Amino acid sequence: MKDFSAEINKCIEVMAKGGLILYPTDTVWGIGCDATNEAAVKKVYELKQREDSKALICLVANDAMLERHVAQVPELAYDILDLATKPTTIIYDNPIGLAKNAIAHDNTMAIRVASDKFCSYLINKYKKPIISTSANLAGKPTPTHFGKIEDPILKGVDYIVNLHHDKQNGPPSSIIKLGNDGTVKIIRE
C-alpha cells in the first residue's frame, strides 16, 4: 500500500505542475494530465502528434465530480453507468470548468467515472478530473500492455507510474453520446 500511496502522490505532484503522467487505467495505459489545465492538455496533443480537434476523454472519481463538470447530467446517464458491465464513457453536452482545448467543437466532453482502484484514488485525492488518452502516437495502434508503449511516449511524459507493468489491457470503454434533448447514440460498443 505504501508504493500505491507514493505513486499517487508523485502523480499529483507532476500534474499540479502541468506535467504529463503515463498511468494504468480501467481500460488501457493512458497519458494523463490535469483536465482543467489548457497548457497541460496542449502537451498531450503535441506528444501524441494529434490535432486538437480530436476530443479527449476525461476521468472523474465519482458522480459528485461528474455533476460539478457537466451543466446537466441526464438521468439516463446514471442508469447506463449502473447497468454497464464494462467501463463506459459518456459524451455529455455543456461541460463546465475543463480546459477549453479538451472540449469538442460541439461543446461536448467524453467523461468516464473511473472504476479502477488506482485511478479512483488518484482522481479523488487530486480533486480534479484528469485526461485519459491511449498511450500511442496518432494513427498507431493502442498498445495492448505496458511493454508495447513506444519510446516517444515513454520519453515524452514527465512521470511513469510504477504499478501494473505486467497487466494486459482491458477492453476499450464503450462510448455513448447522451444529448440533453434525450438523444442516445452509441459511438463504440
Side-chain angles (χ1 to χ4, degrees), residues 14 26-27 47 49 54 68 117 158 171:
V14 168
D26 43 3
T27 56
L47 176 59
Q49 299 170 15
K54 287 213 166 205
R68 282 195 302 275
K117 184 179 171 186
D158 300 294

Side-chain angles (χ1 to χ4, degrees), residues 11-31:
C11 288
I12 289 170
E13 182 186 315
V14 168
M15 290 190 300
K17 293 176 183 168
L20 304 185
I21 61 170
L22 183 61
Y23 68 111
T25 74
D26 43 3
T27 56
V28 301
W29 272 83
I31 299 168

Side-chain angles (χ1 to χ4, degrees), residues 154-182:
L154 295 171
K155 290 176 179 157
V157 296
D158 300 294
Y159 186 69
I160 299 171
V161 172
N162 292 306
L163 297 170
H164 308 304
H165 285 202
D166 54 348
K167 188 177 124 190
Q168 289 288 322
N169 287 352
S173 67
S174 300
I175 300 178
I176 299 168
K177 185 171 186 175
L178 286 186
N180 285 344
D181 60 359

Side-chain angles (χ1 to χ4, degrees), residues 38-52:
E38 271 187 65
V41 170
K42 186 173 191 255
K43 289 182 196 173
V44 172
Y45 286 119
E46 288 169 355
L47 176 59
K48 285 185 66 91
Q49 299 170 15
R50 181 175 170 178
E51 293 175 42
D52 65 7

Side-chain angles (χ1 to χ4, degrees), residues 2-181:
K2 183 173 175 268
D3 290 345
F4 192 84
S5 294
E7 291 299 318
I8 286 174
N9 291 338
K10 184 63 181 170
C11 288
I12 289 170
E13 182 186 315
V14 168
M15 290 190 300
K17 293 176 183 168
L20 304 185
I21 61 170
L22 183 61
Y23 68 111
T25 74
D26 43 3
T27 56
V28 301
W29 272 83
I31 299 168
C33 69
D34 180 337
T36 67
N37 181 329
E38 271 187 65
V41 170
K42 186 173 191 255
K43 289 182 196 173
V44 172
Y45 286 119
E46 288 169 355
L47 176 59
K48 285 185 66 91
Q49 299 170 15
R50 181 175 170 178
E51 293 175 42
D52 65 7
S53 60
K54 287 213 166 205
L56 298 168
I57 290 176
C58 172
L59 297 182
V60 295
N62 49 43
D63 290 350
M65 188 178 281
L66 171 66
E67 290 161 5
R68 282 195 302 275
H69 292 283
V70 175
Q72 177 189 348
V73 178
E75 278 302 312
L76 181 58
Y78 299 109
D79 294 337
I80 290 170
L81 294 173
D82 286 344
L83 297 171
T85 55
K86 71 177 196 172
T88 301
T89 302
I90 298 179
I91 300 172
Y92 298 94
D93 289 338
N94 306 316
I96 303 168
L98 298 171
K100 286 184 181 68
N101 55 347
I103 297 169
H105 293 304
D106 62 353
N107 198 32
T108 61
M109 183 75 203
I111 302 175
R112 183 166 74 246
V113 177
S115 57
D116 173 80
K117 184 179 171 186
F118 178 79
C119 288
S120 296
Y121 276 65
L122 171 61
I123 299 162
N124 233 342
K125 191 164 181 186
Y126 192 54
K127 297 184 177 19
K128 293 182 191 177
I130 64 174
I131 293 297
S132 179
T133 182
S134 56
N136 58 303
L137 298 174
K140 298 274 188 156
T142 299
T144 53
H145 59 84
F146 181 81
K148 297 263 185 181
I149 299 171
E150 294 185 45
D151 270 358
I153 300 293
L154 295 171
K155 290 176 179 157
V157 296
D158 300 294
Y159 186 69
I160 299 171
V161 172
N162 292 306
L163 297 170
H164 308 304
H165 285 202
D166 54 348
K167 188 177 124 190
Q168 289 288 322
N169 287 352
S173 67
S174 300
I175 300 178
I176 299 168
K177 185 171 186 175
L178 286 186
N180 285 344
D181 60 359

